[in-house]
C-alpha cells in the first residue's frame, strides 16, 4: 500500500478513489478462501490497491502472494465494481470509494498461509450458508459479483 500510504500523508482520512483487485480463490469443494483481517477482525477477501505502474492482474497476483502465500496460473475476470455503494470506511477512519476488478484465481498453487501483517488467519468457507463475522463490504462485493444471492 505504498502509493495509498503516500497519499494518506497528504490528505489524511478524506475519501480517496482507490483502484484495486479482489481475488477469489476456490478449493475443489467450491469453498471460498477468506482471511480474518487484523484491522477489523472479520473475514474478508484477498485483494488490495494498485501500486504505481501496476496492472489489475499484476495487483491480483501480488496480493494473492502477499496475503495468502499462493500463486495462480491465470486470473479470470469476473466484473468491475464502482459507484457510491463501493464506499468503505476502515476502522482507522480512512475513507475510500473503490473501483474494484474482481478476479477468480485459476490453477492456484501452494498452501494458504498468512504471509503479511494484514491477516490473522486463512480459512475456506462454503457460500451455501451465511458466514459468521463476514466483513459487510466483502458480503456486498460477493453479492454484486453474483456469488451469493440469499442467505
Amino acid at each position: 500500500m505504498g502509493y495509498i500510504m503516500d497519499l494518506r500523508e497528504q490528505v489524511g482520512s478524506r475519501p480517496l478513489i482507490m483502484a484495486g483487485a479482489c481475488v477469489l480463490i476456490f478449493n475443489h469443494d467450491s469453498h471460498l478462501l477468506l482471511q480474518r483481517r487484523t484491522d477489523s477482525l472479520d473475514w474478508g477477501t484477498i485483494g488490495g490497491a494498485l501500486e504505481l505502474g501496476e496492472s489489475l492482474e499484476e495487483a491480483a497476483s501480488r496480493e494473492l502472494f502477499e496475503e495468502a502465500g499462493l500463486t495462480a496460473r491465470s486470473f479470470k475476470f469476473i466484473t468491475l465494481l464502482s459507484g457510491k455503494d463501493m464506499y468503505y470506511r476502515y476502522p482507522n477512519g480512512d475513507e475510500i470509494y473503490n473501483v474494484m476488478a474482481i478476479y477468480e484465481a485459476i490453477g492456484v498453487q501452494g498452501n494458504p498461509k498468512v504471509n503479511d501483517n494484514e491477516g490473522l488467519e486463512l480459512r475456506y468457507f462454503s457460500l451455501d450458508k451465511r458466514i459468521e463475522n463476514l466483513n459487510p463490504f466483502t458480503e456486498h462485493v460477493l453479492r454484486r459479483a453474483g456469488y451469493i444471492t440469499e442467505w
Side-chain angles (χ1 to χ4, degrees):
M1 296 269 303
Y3 174 68
I4 296 297
M5 296 307 285
D6 290 347
L7 283 176
R8 285 283 172 218
E9 289 179 11
Q10 301 298 314
V11 301
S13 293
R14 288 181 17 205
L16 295 174
I17 296 171
M18 187 171 78
C22 171
V23 184
L24 305 177
I25 305 101
F26 293 95
N27 66 12
H28 63 279
D29 293 323
S30 297
H31 294 171
L32 177 65
L33 183 67
L34 297 174
Q35 69 172 333
R36 192 160 62 92
R37 302 171 49 89
T38 57
D39 59 356
S40 56
L41 302 178
D42 53 13
W43 293 98
T45 54
I46 304 295
L50 288 176
E51 292 295 340
L52 291 175
E54 191 174 47
S55 71
L56 290 165
E57 292 85 1
E58 289 168 336
S61 179
R62 177 180 50 79
E63 292 289 344
L64 180 61
F65 184 76
E66 285 179 0
E67 295 183 3
L70 300 170
T71 60
R73 184 180 69 247
S74 62
F75 295 92
K76 176 183 173 187
F77 176 74
I78 303 301
T79 192
L80 183 67
L81 302 177
S82 63
K84 65 182 182 222
D85 59 344
M86 292 300 290
Y87 170 84
Y88 184 73
R89 182 178 178 161
Y90 287 94
N92 69 0
D94 289 351
E95 297 177 79
I96 60 169
Y97 284 88
N98 283 287
V99 177
M100 187 178 298
I102 311 299
Y103 291 97
E104 184 177 330
I106 306 298
V108 175
Q109 297 178 343
N111 294 313
K113 66 179 188 297
V114 174
N115 208 30
D116 68 7
N117 62 355
E118 292 182 34
L120 297 169
E121 177 182 1
L122 294 165
R123 188 184 311 165
Y124 283 98
F125 291 87
S126 169
L127 295 180
D128 292 338
K129 59 183 178 186
R130 178 171 291 286
I131 298 168
E132 293 298 319
N133 204 25
L134 182 64
N135 180 285
F137 184 74
T138 294
E139 181 173 348
H140 174 72
V141 167
L142 292 172
R143 285 187 190 285
R144 291 256 329 255
Y147 284 90
I148 55 176
T149 54
E150 56 183 79
W151 275 335

